[in-house]
């Protein structure tokens, strides 16, 4: 993939798209983040709701140690800094399916800091995408609008489920790079056993931040720290397939380019992707952090981790995709392409190694 192939041609010249993603991954845990209620797909409406999840008066959250361990494990897999002290905050906003009227999240002090992901592209090249942070937060419930023409029903089974929000740097420049990044991130999470990666069930979904600028402007402004002259970004919420991520980015980038070339101004807003029309549509004007009225959750003490515990988690990490790919190339003489295809799915890589014993490794890889 060349630099020029990433550019989008407008009426007034070429444009560059700047992409950052916030990936929400459901933590692989049998219980929710702050209650003992079960987590699982397919249960009847409101069958997995504790008094804590329903925000009954006097109910206090208690942190789930397993969810914290999974977040640390993920941070280590992303070569990220693990913060020995982190805090939980209340993020205030109203949703009908958010019983507390706020979400318990992490804002200024997340459990995991900066890391990076090496992403392989279809042409064999690689890019490094920086990770800004990973924080823990609780999911909201689900509003059901199709059960009755006059009413909206609320199912709180998801309410309180533990999520890891993995925030990337704006290091991607094409829809193909963004899809490849989510694919690689999913592979790492599945190898680690911290998320099952099931996008159809909504267990892995992405919020995509899209803006456009003239070629080279982003790097120039990043060097000076002056971003105010860059294009206004829009966030596309809850995209849950690689194909939809690409379609949403390509439509949104062209929409923004047309507005700017017509002399208009892109409004900062949150948008939704409509897969049937292949379009994004406005959901709400984008809130800034101060609109959420963040403040420390008074019911939860700061989370303090011991270095020895983190080292124990590090020792238990499995062989991760990048290491496995390198080993398959060295041990079995496979090409980078073959090894990359095999390690994308952990079960496939394990099956290959079992089948390749005592056989022609290249022939087995072809099969």
């Amino acid at each position: 993939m060349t630099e020029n192939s990433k550019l989008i041609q407008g009426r007034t010249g070429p444009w560059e798209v700047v992409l950052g993603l916030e990936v929400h991954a459901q933590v692989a845990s049998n219980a929710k983040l702050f209650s003992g209620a079960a987590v699982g797909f397919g249960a009847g409406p409101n069958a997995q709701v504790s008094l804590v999840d329903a925000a009954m008066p006097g109910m206090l959250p208690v942190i789930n140690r397993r969810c914290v361990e999974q977040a640390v494990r993920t941070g280590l897999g992303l070569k990220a800094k693990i913060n020995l002290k982190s805090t939980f905050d209340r993020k205030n906003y109203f949703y009908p399916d958010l019983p507390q009227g706020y979400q318990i999240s992490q804002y200024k002090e997340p459990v995991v800091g900066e890391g990076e992901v090496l992403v392989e592209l279809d042409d064999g090249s690689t890019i490094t995408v920086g990770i800004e942070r990973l924080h823990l937060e609780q999911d909201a419930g689900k509003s059901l609008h199709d059960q009755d023409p006059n009413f909206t029903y609320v199912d709180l089974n998801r309410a309180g489920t533990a999520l890891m929000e993995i925030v990337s740097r704006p290091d991607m420049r094409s829809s193909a790079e963004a899809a490849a990044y989510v694919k690689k991130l999913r592979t790492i999470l599945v190898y680690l056993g911290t998320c099952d990666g099931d996008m159809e069930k909504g267990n892995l979904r992405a919020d995509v931040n899209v803006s456009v600028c003239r070629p080279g402007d982003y790097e120039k402004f990043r060097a000076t720290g002056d971003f105010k002259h860059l294009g206004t970004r829009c966030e596309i919420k809850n995209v849950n397939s690689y194909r939809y991520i690409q379609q949403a980015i390509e439509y949104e980038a062209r929409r923004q380019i047309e507005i700017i070339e017509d002399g208009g101004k892109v409004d900062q807003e949150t948008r939704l992707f409509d897969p049937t029309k292949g379009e994004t549509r406005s959901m709400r004007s984008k809130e800034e952090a101060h609109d959420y009225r963040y403040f420390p959750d008074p019911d939860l003490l700061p989370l303090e981790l011991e270095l020895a515990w983190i080292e124990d988690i590090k020792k238990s990490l499995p062989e991760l995709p990048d290491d496995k790919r390198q080993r398959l190339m060295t041990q079995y003489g496979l090409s980078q392409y073959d090894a990359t295809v095999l390690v994308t799915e952990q079960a496939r890589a394990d099956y290959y190694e079992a089948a390749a014993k005592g056989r022609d490794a290249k022939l087995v890889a072809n099969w």
Side-chain angles (χ1 to χ4, degrees):
M1 181 179 289
T2 64
E3 287 299 316
N4 286 338
S5 71
K6 300 177 190 176
L7 300 180
I8 300 172
Q9 291 299 324
R11 294 195 316 273
T12 60
W15 294 84
E16 182 177 64
V17 62
V18 178
L19 303 167
L21 274 71
E22 299 163 14
V23 173
H24 292 83
Q26 181 174 316
V27 177
S29 167
N30 292 328
K32 295 184 180 180
L33 184 55
F34 298 113
S35 83
V39 174
F41 187 80
N46 298 301
Q48 297 174 329
V49 187
S50 75
L51 296 176
V52 174
D53 307 323
M56 291 298 175
M59 295 296 105
L60 295 175
V62 178
I63 189 73
N64 181 338
R65 181 187 174 97
R66 174 64 174 167
C67 293
V68 177
E69 181 183 337
Q70 293 287 57
V72 171
R73 194 174 171 83
T74 303
L76 293 170
L78 299 175
K79 304 183 182 70
K81 179 189 175 189
I82 308 300
N83 294 321
L84 295 181
K85 180 183 176 183
S86 60
T87 55
F88 286 97
D89 302 275
R90 290 188 180 180
K91 180 181 180 182
N92 295 272
Y93 60 96
F94 175 76
Y95 276 170
D97 48 23
L98 190 68
Q100 295 156 309
Y102 60 84
Q103 178 189 41
I104 302 177
S105 183
Q106 294 186 303
Y107 180 41
K108 289 187 176 175
E109 295 182 290
V111 66
V112 176
E114 295 185 349
E116 63 180 31
V117 176
L118 184 68
V119 179
E120 300 81 24
L121 304 174
D122 288 342
D123 64 356
S125 64
T126 59
I127 60 168
T128 299
V129 176
I131 300 296
E132 189 173 294
R133 55 186 281 143
L134 178 157
H135 63 258
L136 280 167
E137 63 184 21
Q138 56 181 178
D139 206 352
K142 187 176 183 181
S143 293
L144 306 170
H145 306 292
D146 56 356
Q147 307 292 306
D148 189 287
N150 301 310
F151 297 97
T152 292
Y153 289 84
V154 175
D155 181 3
L156 295 180
N157 279 348
R158 286 190 72 92
T161 299
L163 300 177
M164 296 179 286
E165 181 171 337
I166 303 165
V167 182
S168 84
R169 297 278 184 197
D171 291 339
M172 290 153 279
R173 294 292 175 272
S174 71
S175 61
E177 288 184 359
Y181 163 73
V182 176
K183 195 175 291 186
K184 180 60 177 287
L185 192 58
R186 179 188 177 277
T187 299
I188 293 170
L189 295 174
V190 172
Y191 269 68
L192 289 166
T194 57
C195 174
D196 67 11
D198 194 326
M199 299 179 82
E200 282 187 26
K201 293 176 182 173
N203 294 353
L204 187 76
R205 52 194 193 266
D207 297 344
V208 187
N209 290 292
V210 183
S211 65
V212 296
C213 62
R214 292 300 185 181
D217 275 1
Y218 179 81
E219 294 304 323
K220 183 169 64 179
F221 290 126
R222 183 162 72 169
T224 62
D226 178 11
F227 290 99
K228 64 178 179 289
H229 297 296
L230 287 178
T232 303
R233 65 184 170 91
C234 292
E235 181 184 46
I236 308 163
K237 292 288 285 185
N238 292 333
V239 193
N240 68 342
S241 86
Y242 307 129
R243 186 160 59 95
Y244 292 166
I245 287 169
Q246 290 193 252
Q247 288 176 353
I249 289 168
E250 285 161 17
Y251 175 85
E252 180 60 22
R254 292 206 168 274
R255 185 189 74 85
Q256 293 183 19
I257 290 168
E258 287 176 13
I259 290 173
I260 297 168
E261 291 189 326
D262 287 341
K265 181 177 178 294
V266 176
D267 294 323
Q268 186 174 357
E269 61 181 350
T270 300
R271 300 178 69 85
L272 292 174
F273 178 66
D274 184 338
T276 55
K277 294 181 178 178
E279 299 175 355
T280 64
R281 56 181 170 81
S282 182
M283 179 184 176
R284 61 175 181 263
S285 62
K286 176 64 179 173
E287 305 93 337
E288 293 296 343
H290 60 260
D291 291 328
Y292 287 127
R293 304 189 314 283
Y294 279 101
F295 65 86
D297 192 301
D299 294 332
L300 289 159
L301 291 168
L303 188 61
E304 296 187 355
L305 308 181
E306 294 178 355
L307 200 54
W309 187 57
I310 294 170
E311 288 300 321
D312 286 343
I313 297 171
K314 187 182 288 186
K315 289 173 189 170
S316 73
L317 293 183
E319 184 181 41
L320 291 169
D322 291 344
D323 297 328
K324 189 181 285 284
R325 182 180 69 244
Q326 195 58 47
R327 183 175 61 77
L328 291 183
M329 291 166 63
T330 304
Q331 185 174 336
Y332 297 99
L334 298 180
S335 67
Q336 181 172 320
Y337 172 80
D338 284 346
T340 299
V341 170
L342 288 172
V343 302
T344 301
E345 295 291 339
Q346 188 177 26
R348 182 196 295 152
D350 292 344
Y351 185 78
Y352 166 77
E353 290 214 71
K357 284 179 182 172
R359 296 189 174 94
D360 183 324
K362 173 61 178 170
L363 186 62
V364 175
N366 291 343
W367 274 103

